[in-house]
């Protein structure tokens, strides 16, 4: 009986600890800036600069790409469906980006929340991975 109580207490403690782990959050500044970009946590992966960057959207593949002219920094997001409204959840079949170490990071089948839509600019967010991006799907 003591073992059962001890195991139950330990399991309850693990559940409580898991509940206390804070998932990523985005700051209000993320929603006030329509500059095309991607960040993971507090690290900016790339911010669009028209003098050194290019971006493209492929409507057939629902794919957005943003990269520097020399491809030293980039990200690609391929959605399974087109975002149509705020608060909608869309699945990114693929997200690929350059990390600060220079290696590629890849995530597949990641749920993204459409947190804001304004004209053809869309703000996407994944809390678990703390991925935030501003893209243009037109």
């Amino acid at each position: 009986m003591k073992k059962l109580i001890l195991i139950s207490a330990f399991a309850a403690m693990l559940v409580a600890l898991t509940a206390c782990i804070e998932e990523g959050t985005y700051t209000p500044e993320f929603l006030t800036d329509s500059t095309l970009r991607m960040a993971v946590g507090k690290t900016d992966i790339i911010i669009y600069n028209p003098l050194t960057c290019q971006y493209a959207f492929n409507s057939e593949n629902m794919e957005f790409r943003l990269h520097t002219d020399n491809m030293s920094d980039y990200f690609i997001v391929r959605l399974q469906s087109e975002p149509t409204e705020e608060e909608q959840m869309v699945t990114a079949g693929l997200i690929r980006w350059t990390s600060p170490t220079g290696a590629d990071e890849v995530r597949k089948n990641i749920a993204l929340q459409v947190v804001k839509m304004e004209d053809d600019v869309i703000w996407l967010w994944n809390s678990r991975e703390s991925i935030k991006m501003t893209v243009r799907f037109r």
Side-chain angles (χ1 to χ4, degrees), residues 6-7 12 17 38 44 48 52-53 56 72 109 113-114 119 130:
L6 185 60
I7 291 171
L17 285 173
M38 179 185 185
D44 289 326
Y48 178 70
T52 60
C53 296
S72 61
N109 300 315
Q113 179 183 5
V114 179
D119 300 320
S130 196

Side-chain angles (χ1 to χ4, degrees), residues 30 33-39 46 48 55-57 62-66 75-79 81 83 90 95 112-125 131-138:
F30 168 59
D33 184 1
S34 64
T35 304
L36 305 176
R37 68 190 179 281
M38 179 185 185
I46 185 170
Y48 178 70
Y55 70 90
F57 169 66
M62 287 304 302
E63 182 176 275
F64 176 84
R65 296 172 179 240
L66 173 63
F75 83 91
I76 300 166
V77 59
R78 186 177 305 137
L79 300 181
S81 61
V90 293
I95 304 174
L112 296 170
Q113 179 183 5
V114 179
V115 292
K116 183 177 177 181
M117 296 181 78
E118 191 173 278
D119 300 320
D120 61 350
V121 178
I122 301 170
W123 287 256
L124 300 170
W125 165 247
I131 296 171
K132 57 187 173 192
M133 59 185 81
T134 307
V135 298
R136 181 166 278 138
F137 274 89
R138 300 271 182 246

Side-chain angles (χ1 to χ4, degrees), residues 4-136:
L4 183 58
I5 292 171
L6 185 60
I7 291 171
S8 296
F10 183 71
M13 187 174 64
L14 284 177
V15 168
L17 285 173
T18 304
C20 292
I21 296 172
E22 181 181 331
E23 291 186 347
T25 58
Y26 59 84
T27 60
E29 294 79 28
F30 168 59
L31 299 177
T32 62
D33 184 1
S34 64
T35 304
L36 305 176
R37 68 190 179 281
M38 179 185 185
V40 178
K42 295 181 181 181
T43 304
D44 289 326
I45 302 303
I46 185 170
I47 299 172
Y48 178 70
N49 175 341
L51 299 176
T52 60
C53 296
Q54 300 176 37
Y55 70 90
F57 169 66
N58 181 317
S59 60
E60 188 173 312
N61 294 334
M62 287 304 302
E63 182 176 275
F64 176 84
R65 296 172 179 240
L66 173 63
H67 56 83
T68 56
D69 289 339
N70 64 6
M71 292 293 290
S72 61
D73 296 304
Y74 72 90
F75 83 91
I76 300 166
V77 59
R78 186 177 305 137
L79 300 181
Q80 294 180 349
S81 61
E82 182 175 0
T84 56
E85 61 187 6
E86 291 180 3
E87 301 305 318
Q88 175 185 6
M89 295 301 289
V90 293
T91 300
L94 172 75
I95 304 174
R96 178 184 303 265
W97 70 91
T98 50
S99 72
T101 63
D104 281 0
E105 293 281 340
V106 177
R107 301 292 184 277
K108 294 182 178 182
N109 300 315
I110 295 288
L112 296 170
Q113 179 183 5
V114 179
V115 292
K116 183 177 177 181
M117 296 181 78
E118 191 173 278
D119 300 320
D120 61 350
V121 178
I122 301 170
W123 287 256
L124 300 170
W125 165 247
N126 176 279
S127 178
R128 173 167 277 167
E129 300 264 348
S130 196
I131 296 171
K132 57 187 173 192
M133 59 185 81
T134 307
V135 298
R136 181 166 278 138

